[in-house]
Amino acid sequence: MVDKLSRYSYSALDCYNSCPQKFKFEYVDKIKKESRQNAPALMGNIVHTALDKLYKLGADGIVMPIADLKSFYKDEWDSVGAENILVDSDFHTIDDYIRIGEEILIKYYEQHKPFNQSILLGTEQNLYFTLPGTDFQCKCRVDRMSKRDDGTIEIVDYKTGVRLAKVSDSSYYYQMGLYQLAIMENYPDFTDIEVIQYFLRHEEAVTKKFSAEELDSLVVEFKDAILETIHAQQTGSFQPQESGLCRFCEFYDICPAKIHGKLLEQEDEATGEIPAMNLKDIANSYIVKNSQMKVLKDEVDALKEELKTAAK
Ligand code: SF4
């Protein structure tokens, strides 16, 4: 039986590309991550929610007063609660992220009100499609889709991060290429499509219209990338790829590549042998149980197939 994800997103493929082991934890084993929300990601989510509200009201000819926007933004943070927020920076506090998010939101508000310059076609929209020429199911979530007066369909993805991307960056090219494919597969009548990553901190829109040739090449690359993940699932080979990003990885504490370092740290701090042995045992037990679970799942799948055949 072929192992594959039910749907592939840009995030999943990017995750595999940056670290196959992390992809396994997140998308194959579906291990529950840290329950607290990472502050920069939370700031991004809340800003997205506020923009969603502004555009939905704008489509109805209503401009949300800025005082209401500020109070909506504050309420969103309050509803999460500081105890549920994780700050990974040595220098930033939660209040810094709250302030940064509010500043970029207000700047955007001043520049873009009344939020109805184009016809709103959708916000925060999930799009599902089959990668052309394959049976791989893909998905993406579009922040905003609008139609300009000249008929151009604009597909906007908002970014709250510090780094301004270029079209040639893989983070731009593959994500937005997949978005354009998703729109074309879902709305075949849309012929003039422009994809935009809008960098809120910089007030910069990085735009592109992918050509048919570029999209054809992207389909081949996505197909190869998906096949690589399937091969890893079939062989059970997910190599940890250590990098500066490990520091922010939700699976750091259970990552096989980090266990040795953790043990050494613990030995330094330990007053005896027991804590280090415990961590090692837990890590080994996790790896063994996880492999056993995979074997059992394969056996259950095989039995299901046998039952189906016998019932025919
Ligand atoms: S800690 Fe680093 S190597 Fe381990 S899964 Fe996370 S990103 Fe990969």
Side-chain angles (χ1 to χ4, degrees):
M1 186 187 166
V2 176
D3 285 307
K4 61 180 179 183
L5 304 189
S6 56
R7 288 206 168 94
Y8 291 87
S9 62
Y10 165 74
S11 308
L13 296 176
D14 184 50
C15 178
Y16 182 86
N17 193 39
S18 64
C19 176
Q21 176 66 69
K22 186 176 180 196
F23 172 88
K24 179 174 187 294
F25 284 141
E26 186 160 351
Y27 294 96
V28 180
D29 299 340
K30 296 186 170 49
I31 291 176
K32 197 165 169 1
K33 294 194 269 187
E34 160 74 63
S35 59
R36 287 175 298 166
Q37 300 195 54
N38 180 283
L42 178 61
M43 185 259 281
N45 289 343
I46 295 177
V47 168
H48 276 71
T49 308
L51 292 174
D52 175 47
K53 199 162 184 63
L54 288 175
Y55 274 97
K56 279 183 177 153
L57 287 171
D60 288 339
I62 301 164
V63 179
M64 188 183 202
I66 197 149
D68 290 357
L69 175 65
K70 286 182 184 175
S71 109
F72 173 82
Y73 176 79
K74 182 178 177 307
D75 289 348
E76 289 289 309
W77 278 98
D78 290 346
S79 70
V80 177
E83 68 282 7
N84 296 315
I85 301 173
L86 178 69
V87 178
D88 269 341
S89 163
D90 294 333
F91 301 101
H92 292 69
T93 63
I94 294 175
D95 284 343
D96 287 322
Y97 289 107
I98 295 175
R99 172 183 52 78
I100 294 165
E102 187 179 88
E103 283 170 5
I104 59 181
L105 200 51
I106 290 170
K107 263 196 300 186
Y108 190 90
Y109 179 96
E110 297 296 355
Q111 287 205 348
H112 295 268
K113 66 182 178 193
F115 311 104
N116 61 0
Q117 292 87 343
S118 46
I119 300 167
L120 187 66
L121 302 177
T123 58
E124 301 296 333
Q125 195 171 348
N126 287 319
L127 293 175
Y128 305 104
F129 67 104
T130 306
L131 190 67
T134 74
D135 63 352
F136 297 136
Q137 300 303 306
C138 296
K139 67 174 176 186
C140 59
R141 188 174 174 86
V142 171
D143 290 342
R144 178 168 61 84
M145 176 164 64
S146 300
K147 185 178 180 181
R148 293 186 197 138
D149 288 346
D150 66 1
T152 307
I153 305 298
E154 53 180 30
I155 307 302
V156 185
D157 189 62
Y158 295 108
K159 300 288 183 194
T160 51
V162 173
R163 190 175 160 278
L164 178 67
K166 304 188 295 292
V167 167
S168 56
D169 290 347
S170 61
S171 62
Y172 184 100
Y173 200 82
Y174 291 105
Q175 182 188 356
M176 301 318 284
L178 198 65
Y179 279 28
Q180 185 162 331
L181 281 169
I183 298 296
M184 290 169 70
E185 293 298 312
N186 278 270
Y187 301 96
D189 291 341
F190 291 168
T191 49
D192 193 3
I193 300 168
E194 182 173 275
V195 292
I196 303 163
Q197 279 191 353
Y198 191 92
F199 292 84
L200 292 154
R201 291 188 192 228
H202 317 79
E203 299 173 42
E204 289 285 346
V206 181
T207 67
K208 176 159 179 68
K209 291 181 179 181
F210 284 88
S211 68
E213 294 73 30
E214 286 173 322
L215 291 173
D216 286 347
S217 304
L218 275 174
V219 167
V220 174
E221 289 191 65
F222 284 128
K223 183 179 167 192
D224 289 347
I226 291 171
L227 287 172
E228 203 178 321
T229 68
I230 291 173
H231 182 255
Q233 279 185 257
Q234 288 171 333
T235 57
S237 167
F238 293 93
Q239 293 305 313
Q241 198 158 307
E242 294 180 80
S243 71
L245 296 175
C246 291
R247 186 167 169 246
F248 307 104
C249 178
E250 303 89 337
F251 308 105
Y252 190 101
D253 288 340
I254 55 169
C255 173
K258 300 296 177 190
I259 285 169
H260 182 63
K262 275 287 245 192
L263 284 172
L264 289 179
E265 267 173 36
Q266 226 180 33
E267 273 173 11
D268 278 350
E269 292 164 10
T271 51
E273 293 293 309
I274 293 171
M277 287 305 294
N278 276 345
L279 180 59
K280 191 176 179 182
D281 287 347
I282 291 166
N284 282 338
S285 177
Y286 164 76
I287 291 164
V288 170
K289 292 269 189 275
N290 201 39
S291 316
Q292 288 171 339
M293 198 170 72
K294 185 171 174 351
V295 171
L296 281 173
K297 182 180 173 300
D298 288 346
E299 286 178 5
V300 169
D301 287 342
L303 284 170
K304 267 192 211 160
E305 287 303 315
E306 274 182 40
L307 274 173
K308 270 193 217 159
T309 313
K312 276 181 189 165

PDB file of all heavy atoms in Angstrom, residues 145-171:
ATOM      1  N   MET A 145      -8.784  37.103  -1.983  1.00  0.00           N
ATOM      2  CA  MET A 145      -8.889  37.015  -3.441  1.00  0.00           C
ATOM      3  C   MET A 145      -9.859  38.114  -3.871  1.00  0.00           C
ATOM      4  O   MET A 145     -10.970  38.209  -3.345  1.00  0.00           O
ATOM      5  CB  MET A 145      -9.416  35.633  -3.821  1.00  0.00           C
ATOM      6  CG  MET A 145      -9.658  35.466  -5.298  1.00  0.00           C
ATOM      7  SD  MET A 145      -9.835  33.728  -5.787  1.00  0.00           S
ATOM      8  CE  MET A 145     -11.292  33.243  -4.927  1.00  0.00           C
ATOM      9  N   SER A 146      -9.415  38.971  -4.795  1.00  0.00           N
ATOM     10  CA  SER A 146     -10.257  40.089  -5.234  1.00  0.00           C
ATOM     11  C   SER A 146     -10.156  40.239  -6.743  1.00  0.00           C
ATOM     12  O   SER A 146      -9.222  39.743  -7.371  1.00  0.00           O
ATOM     13  CB  SER A 146      -9.797  41.405  -4.590  1.00  0.00           C
ATOM     14  OG  SER A 146      -9.869  41.325  -3.193  1.00  0.00           O
ATOM     15  N   LYS A 147     -11.143  40.979  -7.291  1.00  0.00           N
ATOM     16  CA  LYS A 147     -11.139  41.233  -8.736  1.00  0.00           C
ATOM     17  C   LYS A 147     -11.027  42.736  -8.962  1.00  0.00           C
ATOM     18  O   LYS A 147     -11.855  43.513  -8.463  1.00  0.00           O
ATOM     19  CB  LYS A 147     -12.440  40.707  -9.342  1.00  0.00           C
ATOM     20  CG  LYS A 147     -12.500  40.800 -10.845  1.00  0.00           C
ATOM     21  CD  LYS A 147     -13.825  40.195 -11.294  1.00  0.00           C
ATOM     22  CE  LYS A 147     -13.976  40.241 -12.788  1.00  0.00           C
ATOM     23  NZ  LYS A 147     -15.264  39.681 -13.196  1.00  0.00           N
ATOM     24  N   ARG A 148      -9.992  43.137  -9.711  1.00  0.00           N
ATOM     25  CA  ARG A 148      -9.812  44.566  -9.993  1.00  0.00           C
ATOM     26  C   ARG A 148     -10.739  45.012 -11.119  1.00  0.00           C
ATOM     27  O   ARG A 148     -11.275  44.180 -11.853  1.00  0.00           O
ATOM     28  CB  ARG A 148      -8.358  44.834 -10.421  1.00  0.00           C
ATOM     29  CG  ARG A 148      -7.369  44.612  -9.315  1.00  0.00           C
ATOM     30  CD  ARG A 148      -5.979  45.043  -9.791  1.00  0.00           C
ATOM     31  NE  ARG A 148      -4.964  44.490  -8.930  1.00  0.00           N
ATOM     32  CZ  ARG A 148      -3.812  43.970  -9.348  1.00  0.00           C
ATOM     33  NH1 ARG A 148      -3.533  43.919 -10.637  1.00  0.00           N
ATOM     34  NH2 ARG A 148      -2.939  43.499  -8.485  1.00  0.00           N
ATOM     35  N   ASP A 149     -10.831  46.338 -11.294  1.00  0.00           N
ATOM     36  CA  ASP A 149     -11.703  46.883 -12.349  1.00  0.00           C
ATOM     37  C   ASP A 149     -11.308  46.374 -13.731  1.00  0.00           C
ATOM     38  O   ASP A 149     -12.153  46.194 -14.603  1.00  0.00           O
ATOM     39  CB  ASP A 149     -11.635  48.425 -12.352  1.00  0.00           C
ATOM     40  CG  ASP A 149     -12.354  48.989 -11.138  1.00  0.00           C
ATOM     41  OD1 ASP A 149     -13.093  48.219 -10.488  1.00  0.00           O
ATOM     42  OD2 ASP A 149     -12.165  50.181 -10.833  1.00  0.00           O
ATOM     43  N   ASP A 150      -9.999  46.155 -13.949  1.00  0.00           N
ATOM     44  CA  ASP A 150      -9.564  45.698 -15.284  1.00  0.00           C
ATOM     45  C   ASP A 150      -9.727  44.181 -15.456  1.00  0.00           C
ATOM     46  O   ASP A 150      -9.304  43.613 -16.462  1.00  0.00           O
ATOM     47  CB  ASP A 150      -8.105  46.110 -15.543  1.00  0.00           C
ATOM     48  CG  ASP A 150      -7.132  45.399 -14.607  1.00  0.00           C
ATOM     49  OD1 ASP A 150      -7.584  44.580 -13.773  1.00  0.00           O
ATOM     50  OD2 ASP A 150      -5.913  45.649 -14.702  1.00  0.00           O
ATOM     51  N   GLY A 151     -10.326  43.519 -14.463  1.00  0.00           N
ATOM     52  CA  GLY A 151     -10.600  42.082 -14.579  1.00  0.00           C
ATOM     53  C   GLY A 151      -9.510  41.191 -13.987  1.00  0.00           C
ATOM     54  O   GLY A 151      -9.692  39.976 -13.867  1.00  0.00           O
ATOM     55  N   THR A 152      -8.378  41.795 -13.612  1.00  0.00           N
ATOM     56  CA  THR A 152      -7.302  40.979 -13.020  1.00  0.00           C
ATOM     57  C   THR A 152      -7.746  40.417 -11.673  1.00  0.00           C
ATOM     58  O   THR A 152      -8.319  41.128 -10.847  1.00  0.00           O
ATOM     59  CB  THR A 152      -6.031  41.844 -12.782  1.00  0.00           C
ATOM     60  OG1 THR A 152      -5.702  42.498 -13.994  1.00  0.00           O
ATOM     61  CG2 THR A 152      -4.868  40.993 -12.301  1.00  0.00           C
ATOM     62  N   ILE A 153      -7.465  39.135 -11.474  1.00  0.00           N
ATOM     63  CA  ILE A 153      -7.753  38.509 -10.179  1.00  0.00           C
ATOM     64  C   ILE A 153      -6.491  38.611  -9.336  1.00  0.00           C
ATOM     65  O   ILE A 153      -5.419  38.150  -9.755  1.00  0.00           O
ATOM     66  CB  ILE A 153      -8.125  37.017 -10.361  1.00  0.00           C
ATOM     67  CG1 ILE A 153      -9.297  36.860 -11.341  1.00  0.00           C
ATOM     68  CG2 ILE A 153      -8.432  36.373  -9.014  1.00  0.00           C
ATOM     69  CD1 ILE A 153     -10.590  37.507 -10.908  1.00  0.00           C
ATOM     70  N   GLU A 154      -6.601  39.248  -8.166  1.00  0.00           N
ATOM     71  CA  GLU A 154      -5.412  39.341  -7.311  1.00  0.00           C
ATOM     72  C   GLU A 154      -5.542  38.373  -6.140  1.00  0.00           C
ATOM     73  O   GLU A 154      -6.580  38.292  -5.489  1.00  0.00           O
ATOM     74  CB  GLU A 154      -5.153  40.778  -6.836  1.00  0.00           C
ATOM     75  CG  GLU A 154      -6.309  41.467  -6.181  1.00  0.00           C
ATOM     76  CD  GLU A 154      -5.971  42.887  -5.748  1.00  0.00           C
ATOM     77  OE1 GLU A 154      -5.127  43.533  -6.386  1.00  0.00           O
ATOM     78  OE2 GLU A 154      -6.575  43.341  -4.758  1.00  0.00           O
ATOM     79  N   ILE A 155      -4.453  37.637  -5.933  1.00  0.00           N
ATOM     80  CA  ILE A 155      -4.397  36.637  -4.867  1.00  0.00           C
ATOM     81  C   ILE A 155      -3.358  37.128  -3.874  1.00  0.00           C
ATOM     82  O   ILE A 155      -2.169  37.207  -4.195  1.00  0.00           O
ATOM     83  CB  ILE A 155      -3.949  35.262  -5.432  1.00  0.00           C
ATOM     84  CG1 ILE A 155      -4.826  34.855  -6.616  1.00  0.00           C
ATOM     85  CG2 ILE A 155      -3.942  34.195  -4.350  1.00  0.00           C
ATOM     86  CD1 ILE A 155      -6.288  34.760  -6.291  1.00  0.00           C
ATOM     87  N   VAL A 156      -3.821  37.482  -2.673  1.00  0.00           N
ATOM     88  CA  VAL A 156      -2.924  38.155  -1.729  1.00  0.00           C
ATOM     89  C   VAL A 156      -2.600  37.255  -0.541  1.00  0.00           C
ATOM     90  O   VAL A 156      -3.492  36.635   0.051  1.00  0.00           O
ATOM     91  CB  VAL A 156      -3.570  39.461  -1.206  1.00  0.00           C
ATOM     92  CG1 VAL A 156      -2.583  40.225  -0.325  1.00  0.00           C
ATOM     93  CG2 VAL A 156      -4.034  40.332  -2.361  1.00  0.00           C
ATOM     94  N   ASP A 157      -1.311  37.218  -0.228  1.00  0.00           N
ATOM     95  CA  ASP A 157      -0.862  36.508   0.973  1.00  0.00           C
ATOM     96  C   ASP A 157      -0.129  37.530   1.846  1.00  0.00           C
ATOM     97  O   ASP A 157       0.859  38.126   1.406  1.00  0.00           O
ATOM     98  CB  ASP A 157       0.088  35.369   0.567  1.00  0.00           C
ATOM     99  CG  ASP A 157       0.401  34.472   1.741  1.00  0.00           C
ATOM    100  OD1 ASP A 157      -0.537  33.865   2.277  1.00  0.00           O
ATOM    101  OD2 ASP A 157       1.580  34.388   2.132  1.00  0.00           O
ATOM    102  N   TYR A 158      -0.630  37.763   3.055  1.00  0.00           N
ATOM    103  CA  TYR A 158      -0.018  38.772   3.929  1.00  0.00           C
ATOM    104  C   TYR A 158       1.119  38.162   4.730  1.00  0.00           C
ATOM    105  O   TYR A 158       1.009  37.037   5.224  1.00  0.00           O
ATOM    106  CB  TYR A 158      -1.056  39.334   4.906  1.00  0.00           C
ATOM    107  CG  TYR A 158      -2.156  40.093   4.220  1.00  0.00           C
ATOM    108  CD1 TYR A 158      -3.435  39.559   4.129  1.00  0.00           C
ATOM    109  CD2 TYR A 158      -1.908  41.339   3.649  1.00  0.00           C
ATOM    110  CE1 TYR A 158      -4.450  40.243   3.487  1.00  0.00           C
ATOM    111  CE2 TYR A 158      -2.920  42.029   2.999  1.00  0.00           C
ATOM    112  CZ  TYR A 158      -4.183  41.478   2.925  1.00  0.00           C
ATOM    113  OH  TYR A 158      -5.174  42.155   2.281  1.00  0.00           O
ATOM    114  N   LYS A 159       2.187  38.934   4.878  1.00  0.00           N
ATOM    115  CA  LYS A 159       3.340  38.478   5.656  1.00  0.00           C
ATOM    116  C   LYS A 159       3.630  39.492   6.762  1.00  0.00           C
ATOM    117  O   LYS A 159       3.665  40.704   6.491  1.00  0.00           O
ATOM    118  CB  LYS A 159       4.588  38.362   4.759  1.00  0.00           C
ATOM    119  CG  LYS A 159       4.427  37.376   3.606  1.00  0.00           C
ATOM    120  CD  LYS A 159       4.429  35.952   4.105  1.00  0.00           C
ATOM    121  CE  LYS A 159       4.350  34.958   2.972  1.00  0.00           C
ATOM    122  NZ  LYS A 159       4.035  33.602   3.416  1.00  0.00           N
ATOM    123  N   THR A 160       3.851  38.984   7.967  1.00  0.00           N
ATOM    124  CA  THR A 160       4.158  39.895   9.079  1.00  0.00           C
ATOM    125  C   THR A 160       5.620  39.780   9.516  1.00  0.00           C
ATOM    126  O   THR A 160       6.032  40.429  10.467  1.00  0.00           O
ATOM    127  CB  THR A 160       3.250  39.594  10.293  1.00  0.00           C
ATOM    128  OG1 THR A 160       3.312  38.204  10.573  1.00  0.00           O
ATOM    129  CG2 THR A 160       1.820  39.999  10.041  1.00  0.00           C
ATOM    130  N   GLY A 161       6.389  38.943   8.832  1.00  0.00           N
ATOM    131  CA  GLY A 161       7.788  38.732   9.217  1.00  0.00           C
ATOM    132  C   GLY A 161       8.681  39.908   8.859  1.00  0.00           C
ATOM    133  O   GLY A 161       8.268  40.851   8.177  1.00  0.00           O
ATOM    134  N   VAL A 162       9.923  39.815   9.305  1.00  0.00           N
ATOM    135  CA  VAL A 162      10.881  40.916   9.113  1.00  0.00           C
ATOM    136  C   VAL A 162      11.486  40.898   7.712  1.00  0.00           C
ATOM    137  O   VAL A 162      11.784  41.940   7.136  1.00  0.00           O
ATOM    138  CB  VAL A 162      12.017  40.790  10.164  1.00  0.00           C
ATOM    139  CG1 VAL A 162      13.122  41.792   9.899  1.00  0.00           C
ATOM    140  CG2 VAL A 162      11.455  40.959  11.564  1.00  0.00           C
ATOM    141  N   ARG A 163      11.648  39.691   7.165  1.00  0.00           N
ATOM    142  CA  ARG A 163      12.393  39.581   5.912  1.00  0.00           C
ATOM    143  C   ARG A 163      11.513  39.826   4.685  1.00  0.00           C
ATOM    144  O   ARG A 163      10.451  39.225   4.545  1.00  0.00           O
ATOM    145  CB  ARG A 163      13.015  38.184   5.824  1.00  0.00           C
ATOM    146  CG  ARG A 163      13.993  38.052   4.705  1.00  0.00           C
ATOM    147  CD  ARG A 163      14.674  36.699   4.707  1.00  0.00           C
ATOM    148  NE  ARG A 163      15.224  36.448   3.388  1.00  0.00           N
ATOM    149  CZ  ARG A 163      14.512  35.995   2.373  1.00  0.00           C
ATOM    150  NH1 ARG A 163      13.241  35.714   2.529  1.00  0.00           N
ATOM    151  NH2 ARG A 163      15.070  35.820   1.189  1.00  0.00           N
ATOM    152  N   LEU A 164      11.984  40.718   3.824  1.00  0.00           N
ATOM    153  CA  LEU A 164      11.271  41.003   2.577  1.00  0.00           C
ATOM    154  C   LEU A 164      11.750  40.009   1.512  1.00  0.00           C
ATOM    155  O   LEU A 164      12.944  39.981   1.186  1.00  0.00           O
ATOM    156  CB  LEU A 164      11.575  42.440   2.137  1.00  0.00           C
ATOM    157  CG  LEU A 164      10.964  42.902   0.821  1.00  0.00           C
ATOM    158  CD1 LEU A 164       9.443  42.984   0.930  1.00  0.00           C
ATOM    159  CD2 LEU A 164      11.531  44.262   0.418  1.00  0.00           C
ATOM    160  N   ALA A 165      10.829  39.212   0.983  1.00  0.00           N
ATOM    161  CA  ALA A 165      11.233  38.180   0.008  1.00  0.00           C
ATOM    162  C   ALA A 165      11.327  38.756  -1.403  1.00  0.00           C
ATOM    163  O   ALA A 165      10.764  39.814  -1.698  1.00  0.00           O
ATOM    164  CB  ALA A 165      10.218  37.039   0.028  1.00  0.00           C
ATOM    165  N   LYS A 166      12.050  38.031  -2.252  1.00  0.00           N
ATOM    166  CA  LYS A 166      12.102  38.350  -3.684  1.00  0.00           C
ATOM    167  C   LYS A 166      11.324  37.253  -4.418  1.00  0.00           C
ATOM    168  O   LYS A 166      11.177  36.138  -3.899  1.00  0.00           O
ATOM    169  CB  LYS A 166      13.549  38.330  -4.198  1.00  0.00           C
ATOM    170  CG  LYS A 166      14.498  39.243  -3.465  1.00  0.00           C
ATOM    171  CD  LYS A 166      15.847  39.292  -4.162  1.00  0.00           C
ATOM    172  CE  LYS A 166      16.593  37.965  -4.152  1.00  0.00           C
ATOM    173  NZ  LYS A 166      17.056  37.510  -2.865  1.00  0.00           N
ATOM    174  N   VAL A 167      10.902  37.570  -5.648  1.00  0.00           N
ATOM    175  CA  VAL A 167      10.151  36.581  -6.428  1.00  0.00           C
ATOM    176  C   VAL A 167      10.962  35.304  -6.615  1.00  0.00           C
ATOM    177  O   VAL A 167      10.426  34.194  -6.614  1.00  0.00           O
ATOM    178  CB  VAL A 167       9.760  37.189  -7.802  1.00  0.00           C
ATOM    179  CG1 VAL A 167       9.269  36.110  -8.752  1.00  0.00           C
ATOM    180  CG2 VAL A 167       8.677  38.243  -7.613  1.00  0.00           C
ATOM    181  N   SER A 168      12.291  35.460  -6.756  1.00  0.00           N
ATOM    182  CA  SER A 168      13.125  34.282  -7.018  1.00  0.00           C
ATOM    183  C   SER A 168      13.372  33.431  -5.763  1.00  0.00           C
ATOM    184  O   SER A 168      13.880  32.321  -5.869  1.00  0.00           O
ATOM    185  CB  SER A 168      14.474  34.724  -7.599  1.00  0.00           C
ATOM    186  OG  SER A 168      15.084  35.640  -6.710  1.00  0.00           O
ATOM    187  N   ASP A 169      13.012  33.937  -4.579  1.00  0.00           N
ATOM    188  CA  ASP A 169      13.195  33.126  -3.360  1.00  0.00           C
ATOM    189  C   ASP A 169      12.269  31.920  -3.416  1.00  0.00           C
ATOM    190  O   ASP A 169      11.103  32.046  -3.819  1.00  0.00           O
ATOM    191  CB  ASP A 169      12.836  33.933  -2.101  1.00  0.00           C
ATOM    192  CG  ASP A 169      13.849  35.030  -1.824  1.00  0.00           C
ATOM    193  OD1 ASP A 169      14.930  35.005  -2.447  1.00  0.00           O
ATOM    194  OD2 ASP A 169      13.545  35.907  -1.000  1.00  0.00           O
ATOM    195  N   SER A 170      12.759  30.777  -2.948  1.00  0.00           N
ATOM    196  CA  SER A 170      11.899  29.585  -3.001  1.00  0.00           C
ATOM    197  C   SER A 170      10.652  29.792  -2.146  1.00  0.00           C
ATOM    198  O   SER A 170       9.576  29.302  -2.481  1.00  0.00           O
ATOM    199  CB  SER A 170      12.663  28.340  -2.574  1.00  0.00           C
ATOM    200  OG  SER A 170      13.106  28.493  -1.261  1.00  0.00           O
ATOM    201  N   SER A 171      10.784  30.552  -1.036  1.00  0.00           N
ATOM    202  CA  SER A 171       9.614  30.777  -0.170  1.00  0.00           C
ATOM    203  C   SER A 171       8.521  31.526  -0.921  1.00  0.00           C
ATOM    204  O   SER A 171       7.342  31.398  -0.606  1.00  0.00           O
ATOM    205  CB  SER A 171      10.012  31.560   1.085  1.00  0.00           C
ATOM    206  OG  SER A 171      10.497  32.839   0.723  1.00  0.00           O
TER     207      SER A 171
END
